[in-house]
Amino acid sequence: MNLSPPRHSAGQSSRHSGLDLLRACAILLVFMYHYMVFVSGEPTFGWLSRIGWVGVDLFFVLSGYLIGNQLFKGLAQGKQLSFRRFYWRRALRTWPVFWLVLAAFFLLPELMGGNTPPPLWRFLTFTQNYQLMPGTAFSHAWSLCIEEQFYFLLPLVAFVCLRLGRKVQHAFYLMGALIVAAVCYRYQMWQLYGLEADGQTRYFNAFIYYSSFARMDELLPGLAVALFKNAYPTRWTALAHHQQKLQLIAFGAVGLMLYLLLNFAYIKDEGYGFFATVFGYSLLAMAFALLLMSALQPGSLLARWQVPGAATLALWSYSLYLVHKPIGFIVQQQAPAQGWSDGTVLLLNILLSLAVSALLYKLIEVPAMALRDRVYPDIFRPDLAAAPVAEAKVTG
């Protein structure tokens, strides 16, 4: 896989307002969905509650882009990947706060929800999502498992591609083939667990919704955006001249997918929809990837729209994802005894979730990231930073 050096201007900000806004939207969607499912039992936020599960899909696309951009940008500059640095940086970014929340689930099970968790080793190896049934403690860590599995595989696949001297086009072909494979897998699983007959849908979550085989392909569109940006910098820059068209297509694609998933993801008395199950996850991720491409353009609405609090919410989003569900359980359990109204329960959920996630970010995530940046400043070998990855280059 050969990359030409991207022509970025120096001094770019380490944060991007468009990405922050998308990440803030993702965690808000997840919160609204989980609030309906685990706290209120009704769509408190209207249709946003019913479709809020797509926030995880948006997270997948963003994660694929962010880790891919870091990797491909360095490779384009002739740097050589260090597996040790890559894995340690990922571990220090995601593990400390995850371990703390995980400890709370095992040490204070009644406080955190009362459900039985899968074996501890399943969490520590990030295989908890394998054939996961709903109703277990800390079940929402399934998406983190898929991301960690992806982070483990990505550098290995990139290394093999580099050693084989494959062209960039082959990487896109590989990603396309993997998406097709996921579609085929979901088709097979839908036939087994998609319809309500004989209680088949009982295993839908275990073999489709939580499954790495069915959901990991959603990180690939974000990864493809990162590869395109770094492998074809001239073409990427040219997108700015078509920003309005790209923005219109992106919003249209996302809007269409949300409409289809709202109305056809689950059909009463029938089961999970064929189109939504087999093709919907991949197409939704592609639509979000288009939205991501638009957000990355300097003149886009998402990049220019400065929403107060979005950047802060984006920073807290990881901790917020981990803690909002048990906080919802704690508040809900206290509500009858305290005589809290529905509005009070909602307000307490919001305030406590934000407060706890802010503390975890400040006390756990920030020190861990500081340690990471001090010990392993990046994911590449410093002694081989100037070595070219290959003789040939892909031109824009």
Side-chain angles (χ1 to χ4, degrees), residues 176-211:
L178 291 173
I179 291 174
V180 171
V183 168
C184 292
Y185 171 83
R186 288 194 296 266
Y187 172 68
Q188 293 294 327
M189 293 300 103
W190 177 82
Q191 290 184 308
L192 294 173
Y193 308 116
L195 301 177
E196 289 188 359
D198 302 322
Q200 289 174 282
T201 55
R202 178 170 179 260
Y203 297 100
F204 181 90
N205 285 335
F207 290 92
I208 298 178
Y209 192 78
Y210 297 143
S211 172

PDB file of all heavy atoms in Angstrom, residues 176-211:
ATOM      1  N   GLY A 176     -14.165  -3.057   0.496  1.00  0.00           N
ATOM      2  CA  GLY A 176     -15.419  -3.382  -0.167  1.00  0.00           C
ATOM      3  C   GLY A 176     -15.776  -4.845  -0.012  1.00  0.00           C
ATOM      4  O   GLY A 176     -16.940  -5.196   0.236  1.00  0.00           O
ATOM      5  N   ALA A 177     -14.769  -5.713  -0.127  1.00  0.00           N
ATOM      6  CA  ALA A 177     -15.011  -7.153   0.022  1.00  0.00           C
ATOM      7  C   ALA A 177     -15.456  -7.491   1.437  1.00  0.00           C
ATOM      8  O   ALA A 177     -16.334  -8.350   1.639  1.00  0.00           O
ATOM      9  CB  ALA A 177     -13.739  -7.922  -0.336  1.00  0.00           C
ATOM     10  N   LEU A 178     -14.876  -6.829   2.422  1.00  0.00           N
ATOM     11  CA  LEU A 178     -15.255  -7.084   3.814  1.00  0.00           C
ATOM     12  C   LEU A 178     -16.679  -6.610   4.093  1.00  0.00           C
ATOM     13  O   LEU A 178     -17.415  -7.251   4.859  1.00  0.00           O
ATOM     14  CB  LEU A 178     -14.269  -6.393   4.757  1.00  0.00           C
ATOM     15  CG  LEU A 178     -12.854  -6.984   4.782  1.00  0.00           C
ATOM     16  CD1 LEU A 178     -11.920  -6.111   5.620  1.00  0.00           C
ATOM     17  CD2 LEU A 178     -12.876  -8.410   5.321  1.00  0.00           C
ATOM     18  N   ILE A 179     -17.079  -5.516   3.485  1.00  0.00           N
ATOM     19  CA  ILE A 179     -18.456  -5.044   3.651  1.00  0.00           C
ATOM     20  C   ILE A 179     -19.429  -6.027   3.015  1.00  0.00           C
ATOM     21  O   ILE A 179     -20.477  -6.360   3.593  1.00  0.00           O
ATOM     22  CB  ILE A 179     -18.623  -3.637   3.049  1.00  0.00           C
ATOM     23  CG1 ILE A 179     -17.846  -2.607   3.885  1.00  0.00           C
ATOM     24  CG2 ILE A 179     -20.100  -3.247   2.965  1.00  0.00           C
ATOM     25  CD1 ILE A 179     -17.829  -1.210   3.298  1.00  0.00           C
ATOM     26  N   VAL A 180     -19.080  -6.525   1.835  1.00  0.00           N
ATOM     27  CA  VAL A 180     -19.925  -7.533   1.180  1.00  0.00           C
ATOM     28  C   VAL A 180     -20.018  -8.785   2.043  1.00  0.00           C
ATOM     29  O   VAL A 180     -21.093  -9.384   2.185  1.00  0.00           O
ATOM     30  CB  VAL A 180     -19.377  -7.872  -0.217  1.00  0.00           C
ATOM     31  CG1 VAL A 180     -20.111  -9.068  -0.807  1.00  0.00           C
ATOM     32  CG2 VAL A 180     -19.514  -6.672  -1.144  1.00  0.00           C
ATOM     33  N   ALA A 181     -18.900  -9.183   2.651  1.00  0.00           N
ATOM     34  CA  ALA A 181     -18.902 -10.359   3.525  1.00  0.00           C
ATOM     35  C   ALA A 181     -19.830 -10.154   4.722  1.00  0.00           C
ATOM     36  O   ALA A 181     -20.554 -11.078   5.126  1.00  0.00           O
ATOM     37  CB  ALA A 181     -17.481 -10.661   3.999  1.00  0.00           C
ATOM     38  N   ALA A 182     -19.820  -8.949   5.292  1.00  0.00           N
ATOM     39  CA  ALA A 182     -20.705  -8.651   6.424  1.00  0.00           C
ATOM     40  C   ALA A 182     -22.170  -8.701   5.989  1.00  0.00           C
ATOM     41  O   ALA A 182     -23.030  -9.188   6.730  1.00  0.00           O
ATOM     42  CB  ALA A 182     -20.371  -7.278   7.004  1.00  0.00           C
ATOM     43  N   VAL A 183     -22.460  -8.191   4.791  1.00  0.00           N
ATOM     44  CA  VAL A 183     -23.827  -8.244   4.263  1.00  0.00           C
ATOM     45  C   VAL A 183     -24.274  -9.698   4.110  1.00  0.00           C
ATOM     46  O   VAL A 183     -25.403 -10.061   4.487  1.00  0.00           O
ATOM     47  CB  VAL A 183     -23.906  -7.499   2.911  1.00  0.00           C
ATOM     48  CG1 VAL A 183     -25.238  -7.788   2.210  1.00  0.00           C
ATOM     49  CG2 VAL A 183     -23.742  -5.993   3.125  1.00  0.00           C
ATOM     50  N   CYS A 184     -23.393 -10.528   3.578  1.00  0.00           N
ATOM     51  CA  CYS A 184     -23.728 -11.949   3.404  1.00  0.00           C
ATOM     52  C   CYS A 184     -23.959 -12.624   4.760  1.00  0.00           C
ATOM     53  O   CYS A 184     -24.882 -13.447   4.910  1.00  0.00           O
ATOM     54  CB  CYS A 184     -22.608 -12.661   2.645  1.00  0.00           C
ATOM     55  SG  CYS A 184     -22.445 -12.140   0.915  1.00  0.00           S
ATOM     56  N   TYR A 185     -23.126 -12.283   5.735  1.00  0.00           N
ATOM     57  CA  TYR A 185     -23.300 -12.857   7.072  1.00  0.00           C
ATOM     58  C   TYR A 185     -24.638 -12.438   7.661  1.00  0.00           C
ATOM     59  O   TYR A 185     -25.369 -13.278   8.218  1.00  0.00           O
ATOM     60  CB  TYR A 185     -22.164 -12.399   7.985  1.00  0.00           C
ATOM     61  CG  TYR A 185     -22.378 -12.772   9.437  1.00  0.00           C
ATOM     62  CD1 TYR A 185     -22.053 -14.042   9.905  1.00  0.00           C
ATOM     63  CD2 TYR A 185     -22.938 -11.855  10.327  1.00  0.00           C
ATOM     64  CE1 TYR A 185     -22.270 -14.392  11.230  1.00  0.00           C
ATOM     65  CE2 TYR A 185     -23.162 -12.201  11.652  1.00  0.00           C
ATOM     66  CZ  TYR A 185     -22.827 -13.463  12.092  1.00  0.00           C
ATOM     67  OH  TYR A 185     -23.051 -13.805  13.410  1.00  0.00           O
ATOM     68  N   ARG A 186     -24.987 -11.155   7.539  1.00  0.00           N
ATOM     69  CA  ARG A 186     -26.254 -10.691   8.097  1.00  0.00           C
ATOM     70  C   ARG A 186     -27.442 -11.339   7.390  1.00  0.00           C
ATOM     71  O   ARG A 186     -28.483 -11.599   8.007  1.00  0.00           O
ATOM     72  CB  ARG A 186     -26.344  -9.164   8.028  1.00  0.00           C
ATOM     73  CG  ARG A 186     -25.421  -8.452   9.011  1.00  0.00           C
ATOM     74  CD  ARG A 186     -25.782  -6.986   9.156  1.00  0.00           C
ATOM     75  NE  ARG A 186     -25.598  -6.241   7.928  1.00  0.00           N
ATOM     76  CZ  ARG A 186     -24.498  -5.567   7.599  1.00  0.00           C
ATOM     77  NH1 ARG A 186     -23.453  -5.583   8.425  1.00  0.00           N
ATOM     78  NH2 ARG A 186     -24.422  -4.909   6.474  1.00  0.00           N
ATOM     79  N   TYR A 187     -27.299 -11.592   6.090  1.00  0.00           N
ATOM     80  CA  TYR A 187     -28.375 -12.270   5.365  1.00  0.00           C
ATOM     81  C   TYR A 187     -28.599 -13.676   5.932  1.00  0.00           C
ATOM     82  O   TYR A 187     -29.750 -14.081   6.170  1.00  0.00           O
ATOM     83  CB  TYR A 187     -28.037 -12.358   3.880  1.00  0.00           C
ATOM     84  CG  TYR A 187     -29.011 -13.210   3.098  1.00  0.00           C
ATOM     85  CD1 TYR A 187     -30.323 -12.795   2.906  1.00  0.00           C
ATOM     86  CD2 TYR A 187     -28.609 -14.431   2.561  1.00  0.00           C
ATOM     87  CE1 TYR A 187     -31.230 -13.588   2.201  1.00  0.00           C
ATOM     88  CE2 TYR A 187     -29.499 -15.232   1.858  1.00  0.00           C
ATOM     89  CZ  TYR A 187     -30.802 -14.808   1.679  1.00  0.00           C
ATOM     90  OH  TYR A 187     -31.689 -15.591   0.994  1.00  0.00           O
ATOM     91  N   GLN A 188     -27.513 -14.399   6.162  1.00  0.00           N
ATOM     92  CA  GLN A 188     -27.636 -15.732   6.723  1.00  0.00           C
ATOM     93  C   GLN A 188     -28.253 -15.689   8.129  1.00  0.00           C
ATOM     94  O   GLN A 188     -29.128 -16.496   8.469  1.00  0.00           O
ATOM     95  CB  GLN A 188     -26.262 -16.408   6.777  1.00  0.00           C
ATOM     96  CG  GLN A 188     -25.663 -16.710   5.422  1.00  0.00           C
ATOM     97  CD  GLN A 188     -26.452 -17.744   4.646  1.00  0.00           C
ATOM     98  OE1 GLN A 188     -27.037 -18.655   5.223  1.00  0.00           O
ATOM     99  NE2 GLN A 188     -26.495 -17.606   3.327  1.00  0.00           N
ATOM    100  N   MET A 189     -27.802 -14.745   8.946  1.00  0.00           N
ATOM    101  CA  MET A 189     -28.322 -14.649  10.307  1.00  0.00           C
ATOM    102  C   MET A 189     -29.762 -14.150  10.326  1.00  0.00           C
ATOM    103  O   MET A 189     -30.556 -14.548  11.183  1.00  0.00           O
ATOM    104  CB  MET A 189     -27.433 -13.714  11.141  1.00  0.00           C
ATOM    105  CG  MET A 189     -26.032 -14.243  11.407  1.00  0.00           C
ATOM    106  SD  MET A 189     -26.003 -15.819  12.316  1.00  0.00           S
ATOM    107  CE  MET A 189     -25.642 -16.970  10.960  1.00  0.00           C
ATOM    108  N   TRP A 190     -30.126 -13.282   9.381  1.00  0.00           N
ATOM    109  CA  TRP A 190     -31.514 -12.811   9.315  1.00  0.00           C
ATOM    110  C   TRP A 190     -32.456 -13.961   9.010  1.00  0.00           C
ATOM    111  O   TRP A 190     -33.564 -14.046   9.567  1.00  0.00           O
ATOM    112  CB  TRP A 190     -31.655 -11.730   8.247  1.00  0.00           C
ATOM    113  CG  TRP A 190     -33.075 -11.254   8.079  1.00  0.00           C
ATOM    114  CD1 TRP A 190     -33.734 -10.335   8.836  1.00  0.00           C
ATOM    115  CD2 TRP A 190     -34.018 -11.720   7.099  1.00  0.00           C
ATOM    116  NE1 TRP A 190     -35.025 -10.183   8.397  1.00  0.00           N
ATOM    117  CE2 TRP A 190     -35.230 -11.021   7.327  1.00  0.00           C
ATOM    118  CE3 TRP A 190     -33.956 -12.643   6.055  1.00  0.00           C
ATOM    119  CZ2 TRP A 190     -36.364 -11.227   6.540  1.00  0.00           C
ATOM    120  CZ3 TRP A 190     -35.083 -12.851   5.288  1.00  0.00           C
ATOM    121  CH2 TRP A 190     -36.269 -12.152   5.529  1.00  0.00           C
ATOM    122  N   GLN A 191     -32.033 -14.850   8.144  1.00  0.00           N
ATOM    123  CA  GLN A 191     -32.866 -16.011   7.845  1.00  0.00           C
ATOM    124  C   GLN A 191     -33.104 -16.870   9.086  1.00  0.00           C
ATOM    125  O   GLN A 191     -34.169 -17.466   9.243  1.00  0.00           O
ATOM    126  CB  GLN A 191     -32.211 -16.858   6.750  1.00  0.00           C
ATOM    127  CG  GLN A 191     -32.222 -16.214   5.376  1.00  0.00           C
ATOM    128  CD  GLN A 191     -31.647 -17.137   4.318  1.00  0.00           C
ATOM    129  OE1 GLN A 191     -30.551 -17.660   4.462  1.00  0.00           O
ATOM    130  NE2 GLN A 191     -32.402 -17.338   3.253  1.00  0.00           N
ATOM    131  N   LEU A 192     -32.113 -16.912   9.973  1.00  0.00           N
ATOM    132  CA  LEU A 192     -32.224 -17.731  11.176  1.00  0.00           C
ATOM    133  C   LEU A 192     -32.929 -17.012  12.321  1.00  0.00           C
ATOM    134  O   LEU A 192     -33.699 -17.624  13.067  1.00  0.00           O
ATOM    135  CB  LEU A 192     -30.832 -18.172  11.632  1.00  0.00           C
ATOM    136  CG  LEU A 192     -30.072 -19.125  10.712  1.00  0.00           C
ATOM    137  CD1 LEU A 192     -28.653 -19.319  11.226  1.00  0.00           C
ATOM    138  CD2 LEU A 192     -30.795 -20.463  10.612  1.00  0.00           C
ATOM    139  N   TYR A 193     -32.655 -15.692  12.472  1.00  0.00           N
ATOM    140  CA  TYR A 193     -33.086 -14.991  13.685  1.00  0.00           C
ATOM    141  C   TYR A 193     -33.840 -13.694  13.419  1.00  0.00           C
ATOM    142  O   TYR A 193     -34.073 -12.933  14.356  1.00  0.00           O
ATOM    143  CB  TYR A 193     -31.865 -14.678  14.556  1.00  0.00           C
ATOM    144  CG  TYR A 193     -30.996 -15.880  14.825  1.00  0.00           C
ATOM    145  CD1 TYR A 193     -29.688 -15.943  14.353  1.00  0.00           C
ATOM    146  CD2 TYR A 193     -31.484 -16.968  15.548  1.00  0.00           C
ATOM    147  CE1 TYR A 193     -28.883 -17.055  14.606  1.00  0.00           C
ATOM    148  CE2 TYR A 193     -30.691 -18.073  15.799  1.00  0.00           C
ATOM    149  CZ  TYR A 193     -29.399 -18.117  15.319  1.00  0.00           C
ATOM    150  OH  TYR A 193     -28.616 -19.216  15.556  1.00  0.00           O
ATOM    151  N   GLY A 194     -34.237 -13.440  12.175  1.00  0.00           N
ATOM    152  CA  GLY A 194     -34.855 -12.157  11.868  1.00  0.00           C
ATOM    153  C   GLY A 194     -36.353 -12.092  12.018  1.00  0.00           C
ATOM    154  O   GLY A 194     -36.903 -11.015  12.227  1.00  0.00           O
ATOM    155  N   LEU A 195     -37.035 -13.227  11.933  1.00  0.00           N
ATOM    156  CA  LEU A 195     -38.490 -13.234  11.940  1.00  0.00           C
ATOM    157  C   LEU A 195     -39.043 -13.696  13.290  1.00  0.00           C
ATOM    158  O   LEU A 195     -38.363 -14.410  14.028  1.00  0.00           O
ATOM    159  CB  LEU A 195     -39.006 -14.141  10.816  1.00  0.00           C
ATOM    160  CG  LEU A 195     -38.544 -13.734   9.403  1.00  0.00           C
ATOM    161  CD1 LEU A 195     -39.049 -14.724   8.377  1.00  0.00           C
ATOM    162  CD2 LEU A 195     -39.005 -12.319   9.070  1.00  0.00           C
ATOM    163  N   GLU A 196     -40.255 -13.294  13.574  1.00  0.00           N
ATOM    164  CA  GLU A 196     -40.831 -13.599  14.880  1.00  0.00           C
ATOM    165  C   GLU A 196     -41.273 -15.054  15.024  1.00  0.00           C
ATOM    166  O   GLU A 196     -41.500 -15.528  16.138  1.00  0.00           O
ATOM    167  CB  GLU A 196     -42.027 -12.676  15.154  1.00  0.00           C
ATOM    168  CG  GLU A 196     -41.622 -11.234  15.413  1.00  0.00           C
ATOM    169  CD  GLU A 196     -42.792 -10.386  15.882  1.00  0.00           C
ATOM    170  OE1 GLU A 196     -43.907 -10.932  15.974  1.00  0.00           O
ATOM    171  OE2 GLU A 196     -42.590  -9.197  16.153  1.00  0.00           O
ATOM    172  N   ALA A 197     -41.403 -15.763  13.937  1.00  0.00           N
ATOM    173  CA  ALA A 197     -41.867 -17.147  13.995  1.00  0.00           C
ATOM    174  C   ALA A 197     -40.966 -17.987  14.886  1.00  0.00           C
ATOM    175  O   ALA A 197     -39.729 -17.930  14.787  1.00  0.00           O
ATOM    176  CB  ALA A 197     -41.895 -17.745  12.588  1.00  0.00           C
ATOM    177  N   ASP A 198     -41.621 -18.752  15.782  1.00  0.00           N
ATOM    178  CA  ASP A 198     -40.899 -19.671  16.675  1.00  0.00           C
ATOM    179  C   ASP A 198     -39.899 -18.961  17.590  1.00  0.00           C
ATOM    180  O   ASP A 198     -38.935 -19.573  18.051  1.00  0.00           O
ATOM    181  CB  ASP A 198     -40.168 -20.758  15.877  1.00  0.00           C
ATOM    182  CG  ASP A 198     -41.116 -21.576  15.012  1.00  0.00           C
ATOM    183  OD1 ASP A 198     -42.235 -21.848  15.494  1.00  0.00           O
ATOM    184  OD2 ASP A 198     -40.744 -21.916  13.880  1.00  0.00           O
ATOM    185  N   GLY A 199     -40.121 -17.682  17.844  1.00  0.00           N
ATOM    186  CA  GLY A 199     -39.249 -16.951  18.766  1.00  0.00           C
ATOM    187  C   GLY A 199     -37.843 -16.741  18.268  1.00  0.00           C
ATOM    188  O   GLY A 199     -36.907 -16.571  19.058  1.00  0.00           O
ATOM    189  N   GLN A 200     -37.675 -16.712  16.953  1.00  0.00           N
ATOM    190  CA  GLN A 200     -36.332 -16.566  16.384  1.00  0.00           C
ATOM    191  C   GLN A 200     -35.645 -15.275  16.813  1.00  0.00           C
ATOM    192  O   GLN A 200     -34.430 -15.249  17.013  1.00  0.00           O
ATOM    193  CB  GLN A 200     -36.408 -16.609  14.853  1.00  0.00           C
ATOM    194  CG  GLN A 200     -36.721 -17.965  14.276  1.00  0.00           C
ATOM    195  CD  GLN A 200     -36.925 -17.874  12.779  1.00  0.00           C
ATOM    196  OE1 GLN A 200     -37.977 -17.445  12.326  1.00  0.00           O
ATOM    197  NE2 GLN A 200     -35.931 -18.258  12.012  1.00  0.00           N
ATOM    198  N   THR A 201     -36.432 -14.199  16.922  1.00  0.00           N
ATOM    199  CA  THR A 201     -35.825 -12.895  17.175  1.00  0.00           C
ATOM    200  C   THR A 201     -35.166 -12.811  18.549  1.00  0.00           C
ATOM    201  O   THR A 201     -34.456 -11.845  18.836  1.00  0.00           O
ATOM    202  CB  THR A 201     -36.876 -11.777  17.067  1.00  0.00           C
ATOM    203  OG1 THR A 201     -37.975 -12.075  17.946  1.00  0.00           O
ATOM    204  CG2 THR A 201     -37.400 -11.665  15.644  1.00  0.00           C
ATOM    205  N   ARG A 202     -35.379 -13.799  19.376  1.00  0.00           N
ATOM    206  CA  ARG A 202     -34.730 -13.809  20.694  1.00  0.00           C
ATOM    207  C   ARG A 202     -33.205 -13.766  20.562  1.00  0.00           C
ATOM    208  O   ARG A 202     -32.513 -13.269  21.435  1.00  0.00           O
ATOM    209  CB  ARG A 202     -35.163 -15.051  21.470  1.00  0.00           C
ATOM    210  CG  ARG A 202     -34.510 -15.200  22.843  1.00  0.00           C
ATOM    211  CD  ARG A 202     -35.168 -16.318  23.637  1.00  0.00           C
ATOM    212  NE  ARG A 202     -34.521 -16.473  24.944  1.00  0.00           N
ATOM    213  CZ  ARG A 202     -33.616 -17.405  25.213  1.00  0.00           C
ATOM    214  NH1 ARG A 202     -33.251 -18.265  24.270  1.00  0.00           N
ATOM    215  NH2 ARG A 202     -33.076 -17.501  26.411  1.00  0.00           N
ATOM    216  N   TYR A 203     -32.697 -14.287  19.457  1.00  0.00           N
ATOM    217  CA  TYR A 203     -31.251 -14.357  19.275  1.00  0.00           C
ATOM    218  C   TYR A 203     -30.733 -13.311  18.275  1.00  0.00           C
ATOM    219  O   TYR A 203     -29.583 -13.366  17.865  1.00  0.00           O
ATOM    220  CB  TYR A 203     -30.849 -15.754  18.793  1.00  0.00           C
ATOM    221  CG  TYR A 203     -31.173 -16.832  19.792  1.00  0.00           C
ATOM    222  CD1 TYR A 203     -32.305 -17.626  19.650  1.00  0.00           C
ATOM    223  CD2 TYR A 203     -30.352 -17.048  20.901  1.00  0.00           C
ATOM    224  CE1 TYR A 203     -32.624 -18.606  20.582  1.00  0.00           C
ATOM    225  CE2 TYR A 203     -30.659 -18.021  21.839  1.00  0.00           C
ATOM    226  CZ  TYR A 203     -31.792 -18.798  21.673  1.00  0.00           C
ATOM    227  OH  TYR A 203     -32.097 -19.766  22.595  1.00  0.00           O
ATOM    228  N   PHE A 204     -31.606 -12.364  17.902  1.00  0.00           N
ATOM    229  CA  PHE A 204     -31.193 -11.347  16.927  1.00  0.00           C
ATOM    230  C   PHE A 204     -30.023 -10.527  17.460  1.00  0.00           C
ATOM    231  O   PHE A 204     -29.033 -10.300  16.754  1.00  0.00           O
ATOM    232  CB  PHE A 204     -32.375 -10.430  16.603  1.00  0.00           C
ATOM    233  CG  PHE A 204     -32.055  -9.372  15.583  1.00  0.00           C
ATOM    234  CD1 PHE A 204     -32.228  -9.611  14.237  1.00  0.00           C
ATOM    235  CD2 PHE A 204     -31.579  -8.117  15.976  1.00  0.00           C
ATOM    236  CE1 PHE A 204     -31.927  -8.638  13.283  1.00  0.00           C
ATOM    237  CE2 PHE A 204     -31.285  -7.137  15.031  1.00  0.00           C
ATOM    238  CZ  PHE A 204     -31.459  -7.405  13.688  1.00  0.00           C
ATOM    239  N   ASN A 205     -30.134 -10.060  18.696  1.00  0.00           N
ATOM    240  CA  ASN A 205     -29.063  -9.247  19.266  1.00  0.00           C
ATOM    241  C   ASN A 205     -27.761 -10.025  19.374  1.00  0.00           C
ATOM    242  O   ASN A 205     -26.679  -9.503  19.081  1.00  0.00           O
ATOM    243  CB  ASN A 205     -29.469  -8.725  20.645  1.00  0.00           C
ATOM    244  CG  ASN A 205     -30.473  -7.598  20.557  1.00  0.00           C
ATOM    245  OD1 ASN A 205     -30.540  -6.896  19.560  1.00  0.00           O
ATOM    246  ND2 ASN A 205     -31.286  -7.437  21.574  1.00  0.00           N
ATOM    247  N   ALA A 206     -27.851 -11.282  19.815  1.00  0.00           N
ATOM    248  CA  ALA A 206     -26.649 -12.074  20.051  1.00  0.00           C
ATOM    249  C   ALA A 206     -25.868 -12.345  18.773  1.00  0.00           C
ATOM    250  O   ALA A 206     -24.631 -12.302  18.771  1.00  0.00           O
ATOM    251  CB  ALA A 206     -27.021 -13.397  20.721  1.00  0.00           C
ATOM    252  N   PHE A 207     -26.588 -12.598  17.666  1.00  0.00           N
ATOM    253  CA  PHE A 207     -25.908 -13.019  16.442  1.00  0.00           C
ATOM    254  C   PHE A 207     -25.849 -11.945  15.361  1.00  0.00           C
ATOM    255  O   PHE A 207     -25.180 -12.136  14.353  1.00  0.00           O
ATOM    256  CB  PHE A 207     -26.575 -14.277  15.882  1.00  0.00           C
ATOM    257  CG  PHE A 207     -26.335 -15.500  16.718  1.00  0.00           C
ATOM    258  CD1 PHE A 207     -27.211 -15.867  17.727  1.00  0.00           C
ATOM    259  CD2 PHE A 207     -25.201 -16.268  16.512  1.00  0.00           C
ATOM    260  CE1 PHE A 207     -26.988 -16.996  18.498  1.00  0.00           C
ATOM    261  CE2 PHE A 207     -24.963 -17.396  17.280  1.00  0.00           C
ATOM    262  CZ  PHE A 207     -25.850 -17.755  18.284  1.00  0.00           C
ATOM    263  N   ILE A 208     -26.542 -10.821  15.574  1.00  0.00           N
ATOM    264  CA  ILE A 208     -26.503  -9.750  14.572  1.00  0.00           C
ATOM    265  C   ILE A 208     -26.138  -8.410  15.206  1.00  0.00           C
ATOM    266  O   ILE A 208     -25.086  -7.844  14.918  1.00  0.00           O
ATOM    267  CB  ILE A 208     -27.850  -9.648  13.817  1.00  0.00           C
ATOM    268  CG1 ILE A 208     -28.133 -10.953  13.064  1.00  0.00           C
ATOM    269  CG2 ILE A 208     -27.827  -8.470  12.838  1.00  0.00           C
ATOM    270  CD1 ILE A 208     -29.456 -10.972  12.325  1.00  0.00           C
ATOM    271  N   TYR A 209     -27.009  -7.907  16.085  1.00  0.00           N
ATOM    272  CA  TYR A 209     -26.817  -6.539  16.575  1.00  0.00           C
ATOM    273  C   TYR A 209     -25.502  -6.363  17.339  1.00  0.00           C
ATOM    274  O   TYR A 209     -24.816  -5.354  17.177  1.00  0.00           O
ATOM    275  CB  TYR A 209     -27.997  -6.125  17.457  1.00  0.00           C
ATOM    276  CG  TYR A 209     -28.006  -4.651  17.761  1.00  0.00           C
ATOM    277  CD1 TYR A 209     -28.458  -3.731  16.819  1.00  0.00           C
ATOM    278  CD2 TYR A 209     -27.537  -4.162  18.983  1.00  0.00           C
ATOM    279  CE1 TYR A 209     -28.452  -2.374  17.086  1.00  0.00           C
ATOM    280  CE2 TYR A 209     -27.533  -2.805  19.252  1.00  0.00           C
ATOM    281  CZ  TYR A 209     -27.989  -1.918  18.307  1.00  0.00           C
ATOM    282  OH  TYR A 209     -27.965  -0.577  18.562  1.00  0.00           O
ATOM    283  N   TYR A 210     -25.147  -7.318  18.179  1.00  0.00           N
ATOM    284  CA  TYR A 210     -23.925  -7.212  18.972  1.00  0.00           C
ATOM    285  C   TYR A 210     -22.719  -7.881  18.305  1.00  0.00           C
ATOM    286  O   TYR A 210     -21.611  -7.820  18.843  1.00  0.00           O
ATOM    287  CB  TYR A 210     -24.113  -7.883  20.345  1.00  0.00           C
ATOM    288  CG  TYR A 210     -25.158  -7.261  21.236  1.00  0.00           C
ATOM    289  CD1 TYR A 210     -25.957  -8.057  22.053  1.00  0.00           C
ATOM    290  CD2 TYR A 210     -25.340  -5.885  21.288  1.00  0.00           C
ATOM    291  CE1 TYR A 210     -26.910  -7.502  22.900  1.00  0.00           C
ATOM    292  CE2 TYR A 210     -26.299  -5.318  22.114  1.00  0.00           C
ATOM    293  CZ  TYR A 210     -27.080  -6.129  22.920  1.00  0.00           C
ATOM    294  OH  TYR A 210     -28.027  -5.578  23.749  1.00  0.00           O
ATOM    295  N   SER A 211     -22.919  -8.524  17.192  1.00  0.00           N
ATOM    296  CA  SER A 211     -21.881  -9.369  16.605  1.00  0.00           C
ATOM    297  C   SER A 211     -20.805  -8.570  15.867  1.00  0.00           C
ATOM    298  O   SER A 211     -21.119  -7.679  15.071  1.00  0.00           O
ATOM    299  CB  SER A 211     -22.517 -10.374  15.643  1.00  0.00           C
ATOM    300  OG  SER A 211     -21.543 -11.075  14.926  1.00  0.00           O
TER     301      SER A 211
END
